[in-house]
Amino acid sequence: MKVIDAAALDYKTLNEALRQPEHSYVIQNCCGQRFIGAGMSDRDITIQGISGNALGAYLNNANITVNANAQDAVGDTMNAGKILIHGSIGDAAGYAMRGGKIYVRDHAGYRAGIHMKAYKDKIPVMIIGGCTGSFLGEYQAGGILVVLGLNASGRPIVGNFPCTGMHGGKLFLRGDFRNLKFPAQVTAAIATCEDLQEIMEDLKEYCEDFHYDLETILSSPFTLVTPDSKNPYKQMYVAN
């Protein structure tokens, strides 16, 4: 395991240090450097401190753990691997995410899961433990988003305009949110036991990572939101 003190490093120098032959790295004193782990494979990276924008962008089968908050665009266009955040994240997490997992202990900003999609046999999964901002799942085309609403402290767990332009994938909200104002192109219903089986292994893993009790989480109903096949989303733009 290689230890890197990032206090005096710019993001380019820090990322070059991660491209050495070692498999495991610990980054200490991280102070907002961008693109950490971008495009990397076969790496196990632990970050002490706050990571900058685009953490794990284009990630390929690597694991990143952040023992603090992370800024915008976590997992931008990631392909495989896992990003574990012991804090909150900024806007546009999982932008165009095509595979892998993002697990967040606390809250997420605007547009979590924007343009999220499934790629070939890869089904990306993002689980947010706390609350999310507006435009959750905007233009979601595939994959699975889960919002648990833990430690919400009375806040709504979903911001305004969820699922705008959603035309694929699934969104699971812990609680009964069937009366939430969703766009006409999606349907919301209480998830069945069969529906929950699809996310059960991920929920188990999430609970193990953050030391939550699975039975407690499952004691509340989940609302499943999916595109409405009878009233599909119509693309606003046509390619030339």
Side-chain angles (χ1 to χ4, degrees):
M1 181 180 294
K2 183 174 182 179
V3 177
I4 301 171
D5 186 349
L9 302 181
D10 61 34
Y11 78 95
K12 292 181 180 179
T13 306
L14 175 55
N15 277 292
E16 284 301 317
L18 293 173
R19 299 185 185 279
Q20 302 307 309
E22 287 84 1
H23 172 77
S24 298
Y25 295 82
V26 174
I27 301 173
Q28 297 180 342
N29 300 312
C30 189
C31 48
Q33 289 91 341
R34 298 176 290 161
F35 302 114
I36 295 177
M40 289 189 171
S41 303
D42 302 317
R43 292 287 188 277
D44 193 341
I45 302 170
T46 300
I47 300 172
Q48 310 289 357
I50 296 176
S51 59
N53 294 343
L55 170 73
Y58 301 97
L59 195 69
N60 289 299
N61 198 31
N63 296 313
I64 300 176
T65 299
V66 181
N67 291 316
N69 298 329
Q71 295 181 12
D72 297 345
V74 170
D76 181 355
T77 325
M78 71 181 287
N79 298 301
K82 181 177 177 181
I83 301 176
L84 193 67
I85 308 292
H86 288 265
S88 296
I89 55 177
D91 301 337
Y95 182 93
M97 182 183 180
R98 298 180 292 188
K101 301 176 181 181
I102 300 175
Y103 292 169
V104 182
R105 187 191 66 189
D106 297 327
H107 311 301
Y110 294 101
R111 291 186 164 91
I114 180 174
H115 289 295
M116 189 179 187
K117 63 191 72 177
Y119 180 67
K120 295 184 177 179
D121 60 343
K122 298 178 180 178
I123 307 295
V125 177
M126 184 189 304
I127 302 180
I128 298 163
C131 306
T132 64
S134 298
F135 295 101
L136 172 69
E138 186 178 32
Y139 301 115
Q140 183 181 353
I144 295 173
L145 275 168
V146 182
V147 184
L148 299 177
L150 303 172
N151 305 315
S153 301
R155 295 168 52 190
I157 77 168
V158 181
N160 297 323
F161 317 116
C163 305
T164 300
M166 181 184 188
H167 54 285
K170 297 179 179 180
L171 168 63
F172 290 84
L173 301 173
R174 183 171 172 262
D176 187 346
F177 292 94
R178 287 174 291 179
N179 294 325
L180 195 67
K181 189 175 181 181
F182 292 108
Q185 290 77 24
V186 303
T187 59
I190 293 297
T192 66
C193 292
E194 184 177 355
D195 293 327
L196 291 175
Q197 285 303 311
E198 186 171 4
I199 61 171
M200 194 60 64
E201 291 304 314
D202 294 302
L203 285 177
K204 289 178 181 177
E205 185 179 23
Y206 181 93
C207 288
E208 290 172 359
D209 288 334
F210 294 120
H211 308 293
Y212 285 118
D213 178 64
L214 179 63
E215 294 302 319
T216 299
I217 286 177
L218 293 175
S219 65
S220 295
F222 279 73
T223 300
L224 172 60
V225 185
T226 55
D228 185 353
S229 60
K230 297 179 181 179
N231 187 25
Y233 164 74
K234 295 179 176 61
Q235 292 280 358
M236 295 167 50
Y237 306 103
V238 178
N240 292 328

